[in-house]
Amino acid sequence: SECREWALLELQGVLEIQPSAQHLPLNAFSIGSLCRSQQEKYYFTIGYHELEGKKVSLKKPMLVLQKVLREDPIDVESSPVVLSTQYPTQVQKTSELKAIGIIRHKILFKTRPKALISK
Amino acid sequence: MGNASILELNVDSSLEVYYGETFGSEDLKLLEVDEPILQEILDRGASGEELDTKSETGGKRTASAMAAATGHLELVEVAPNFEKLKSLLSERLYGEDTDSMDVEESTSGLYTWDDLLEKLQLSEKELQEGLKSLAAVQVGGFWRLVDKKYMHCVFELILLNAMQHDWSLQGLKEKEVVSALMADGYSAQIVIHCLATYGQRVSLAFEAGIASNGSYDLDSHVWELNERHVCLHYANQLLSSASRWRVDDFVDAWQQNLPSGVQASLDMLKGKILIEKLGSDSWLYPFSVANLPSNPAERFAALFRERPRWEWEDLEPYISDLRAPGKSVDALLLKYTRRTQPTAETPPIFTAR
């Protein structure tokens, strides 16, 4: 099964949408600009704040798991008791965790944001 | 972020980061994993709350469980739990009634290897280990637990026949044992299972292999009974006949019941009996580790209820089987007991924390 590598940006803080934009769909505008200035050095500009970060390897890789609800038809022949209803097949609901991504590195932003507004 | 372009971002370039189309509607969890098992998990999904790894890495680690914490999961090791296996197999114990029936009437409550793998969160190796530790036997494709009383009964008969026919316990001929017991209505499979549980096959003995006319009998398996099991068998009979015994009386009765050549020692009963000094006499009574909880906290609570103070020598057999992930026996002692040692010469005493 395909499991691509995902990128992880770690921020310390909360992303808030301006009241004037709250009626818009989430992906109508970008969160910010990500710039790679050096091999391991990145800048993330959100609104008028600039965050400086660096790329680090995770000590242990992380899997991105998605909960998937499955409905499988039950093989009526093999069950000792059959519930008689108008539906032709009985289903068995199971939940599965599907691995949809791997994360091996993160870009960690932990320094104090720099305000880009000039007085 | 599912977009690979962040990973591919070159030096001196930038891109805009957006919320994904499905952001907020997916039920996602992050799970930290060790590299060695990463590949395995990638090959299969996991159902419910437990991840099952079919292979073992490094001896002790076996099944894993996940603890959820606001979207971030940690892979925590747990020791394999055979309680569920035991309860499944206990639904229909193989006992006195079963042996005389040729065909089982219904197969409900009976489980094959595949059934067990499917129902339990155990790897194949663990299932094998579990079946072995429970002394389960495969009969007609189903794994069965034999009723304990029934097993003791069959064992007793084997021992009686051995004494009657003057067979050596180190060289029991399978053919002879099986035919003697089959005459009393016991099935060959159960007799052989009993021999395997209480002993082991030995390499073909020279005398056993050669028949009287000089031909080599290739079908002749030979079994050696484990001396400790023989001793325990008779010890258990004595222990169930009285609630407590004066130690000297017990040792005498025990030795007397044993087949000749078999030597008993109280050490064999470690983890099964406790000895108490009352005045000038020593008394023993049954106290089996098998009846105690397997969870460490509950185990220590039960032990300290029985006795407030324990010497290491007495305590050791009652905690040596405890398995807690990443915790050695010393760590468990540190967590659940208080250790005192009045003088350097006296042995250390353990009390409840």
Side-chain angles (χ1 to χ4, degrees):
Chain A
S1 67
E2 213 206 69
C3 198
R4 286 162 36 207
E5 187 171 342
W6 285 36
L8 176 65
L9 301 180
E10 187 178 314
L11 310 173
Q12 288 170 355
V14 176
L15 291 175
E16 282 178 358
I17 298 172
Q18 300 261 39
S20 57
Q22 265 169 14
H23 64 286
L24 295 171
L26 265 184
N27 58 0
F29 42 80
S30 74
I31 298 171
S33 281
L34 181 69
C35 171
R36 188 178 188 182
S37 65
Q38 286 170 39
Q39 189 70 11
E40 309 297 338
K41 200 166 179 181
Y42 291 77
Y43 286 97
F44 197 14
T45 307
I46 303 176
Y48 60 80
H49 281 117
E50 187 188 74
L51 301 162
E52 190 188 308
K54 67 172 202 251
K55 187 176 184 191
V56 294
S57 294
L58 295 181
K59 273 194 301 251
K60 281 195 202 180
M62 280 204 272
L63 276 179
V64 185
L65 303 174
Q66 182 169 37
K67 199 167 188 182
V68 170
L69 284 174
R70 263 175 46 177
E71 281 191 358
D72 298 310
I74 294 178
D75 180 6
V76 168
E77 303 259 275
S78 68
S79 46
V81 175
V82 179
L83 187 65
S84 153
T85 68
Q86 67 240 62
Y87 301 104
T89 51
Q90 308 298 312
V91 292
Q92 187 179 39
K93 289 189 185 167
T94 49
S95 79
E96 267 190 353
L97 286 168
K98 198 170 143 194
I100 59 172
I102 304 183
I103 308 173
R104 295 187 186 277
H105 310 280
K106 65 180 177 187
I107 305 173
L108 173 60
F109 297 91
K110 61 178 182 183
T111 58
R112 206 182 175 82
K114 184 167 111 182
L116 297 175
I117 296 176
S118 53
K119 282 231 162 128
Chain B
M1 305 192 185
N3 197 324
S5 51
I6 290 181
L7 296 170
E8 291 156 8
L9 188 59
N10 288 317
V11 176
D12 284 337
S13 30
S14 62
L15 52 72
E16 293 299 302
V17 181
Y18 289 82
Y19 283 111
E21 271 171 11
T22 54
F23 184 84
S25 64
E26 312 142 305
D27 195 350
L28 295 181
K29 300 231 186 286
L30 293 178
L31 173 67
E32 237 178 41
V33 293
D34 283 316
E35 194 68 58
I37 63 168
L38 176 63
Q39 202 49 58
E40 222 181 296
I41 296 174
L42 288 179
D43 294 336
R44 350 178 356 250
S47 57
E49 291 296 299
E50 274 192 24
L51 264 183
D52 192 5
T53 55
K54 286 233 184 285
S55 64
E56 277 180 326
T57 53
K60 294 203 178 188
R61 193 182 61 72
T62 48
S64 323
M66 300 188 289
T70 54
H72 182 178
L73 295 168
E74 275 175 52
L75 201 61
V76 167
E77 295 183 29
V78 301
N81 190 330
F82 297 138
E83 296 300 322
K84 204 173 169 204
L85 173 63
K86 191 174 178 183
S87 86
L88 282 180
L89 296 180
S90 300
E91 284 173 25
R92 283 181 64 176
L93 289 178
Y94 194 103
E96 180 115 29
D97 317 308
T98 330
D99 225 7
S100 49
M101 279 161 56
D102 281 323
V103 178
E104 300 281 359
E105 273 150 23
S106 97
T107 57
S108 74
L110 295 182
Y111 303 94
T112 62
W113 171 265
D114 290 329
D115 291 336
L116 293 172
L117 266 184
E118 200 188 292
K119 280 189 178 294
L120 303 168
Q121 296 302 325
L122 296 172
S123 69
E124 290 187 349
K125 257 212 174 102
E126 286 165 354
L127 180 55
Q128 211 173 47
E129 191 193 314
L131 290 170
K132 192 164 175 217
S133 75
L134 292 171
V137 59
Q138 195 175 29
V139 180
F142 298 107
W143 281 91
R144 311 295 299 272
L145 273 187
V146 183
D147 189 293
K148 272 208 157 62
K149 279 212 189 107
Y150 194 60
M151 277 292 265
H152 293 151
C153 197
V154 177
F155 193 39
E156 177 73 25
L157 261 179
I158 293 174
L159 290 166
L160 275 176
N161 272 281
M163 281 203 253
Q164 264 173 15
H165 297 104
D166 210 15
W167 294 333
S168 156
L169 296 183
Q170 278 78 47
L172 291 171
K173 294 177 200 168
E174 187 178 293
K175 267 192 171 169
E176 287 180 341
V177 177
V178 169
S179 64
L181 266 80
M182 276 180 87
D184 282 332
Y186 293 91
S187 80
Q189 285 169 105
I190 288 303
V191 175
I192 294 167
H193 176 61
C194 193
L195 290 169
T197 306
Y198 294 113
Q200 59 259 340
R201 248 193 208 120
V202 293
S203 52
L204 222 49
F206 190 79
E207 306 95 79
I210 309 291
S212 55
N213 65 3
S215 65
Y216 202 73
D217 187 358
L218 289 169
D219 288 324
S220 189
H221 289 302
V222 178
W223 294 86
E224 177 181 354
L225 289 183
N226 181 294
E227 203 173 78
R228 191 168 164 270
H229 277 127
V230 175
C231 291
L232 285 175
H233 175 78
Y234 289 107
N236 285 328
Q237 281 181 346
L238 293 175
L239 289 172
S240 39
S241 70
S243 60
R244 48 177 59 220
W245 283 80
R246 206 179 262 115
V247 174
D248 294 332
D249 294 342
F250 180 88
V251 173
D252 286 340
W254 195 17
Q255 195 58 59
Q256 216 173 39
N257 289 348
L258 290 170
S260 61
V262 180
Q263 189 60 40
S265 113
L266 282 174
D267 278 343
M268 290 174 173
L269 300 176
K270 273 196 197 299
K272 299 196 196 291
I273 57 159
L274 281 181
I275 298 178
E276 230 172 29
K277 266 196 166 51
L278 290 172
S280 55
D281 284 327
S282 280
W283 291 78
L284 63 82
Y285 60 95
F287 187 69
S288 178
V289 68
N291 298 332
L292 298 176
S294 45
N295 165 285
E298 290 170 34
R299 171 77 63 90
F300 278 100
L303 290 173
F304 287 120
R305 269 197 300 272
E306 182 64 32
R307 267 189 186 178
R309 296 155 56 86
W310 287 78
E311 281 187 24
W312 173 243
E313 214 183 42
D314 298 329
L315 181 61
E316 197 267 335
Y318 291 98
I319 61 172
S320 59
D321 69 313
L322 283 176
R323 293 169 82 160
K327 282 216 163 77
S328 64
V329 167
D330 282 334
L332 290 173
L333 285 173
L334 201 67
K335 187 171 183 187
Y336 296 108
T337 71
R338 187 178 288 130
R339 184 182 184 277
T340 53
Q341 191 165 14
T343 65
E345 294 87 50
T346 57
I349 302 282
F350 294 89
T351 52
R353 213 173 235 299

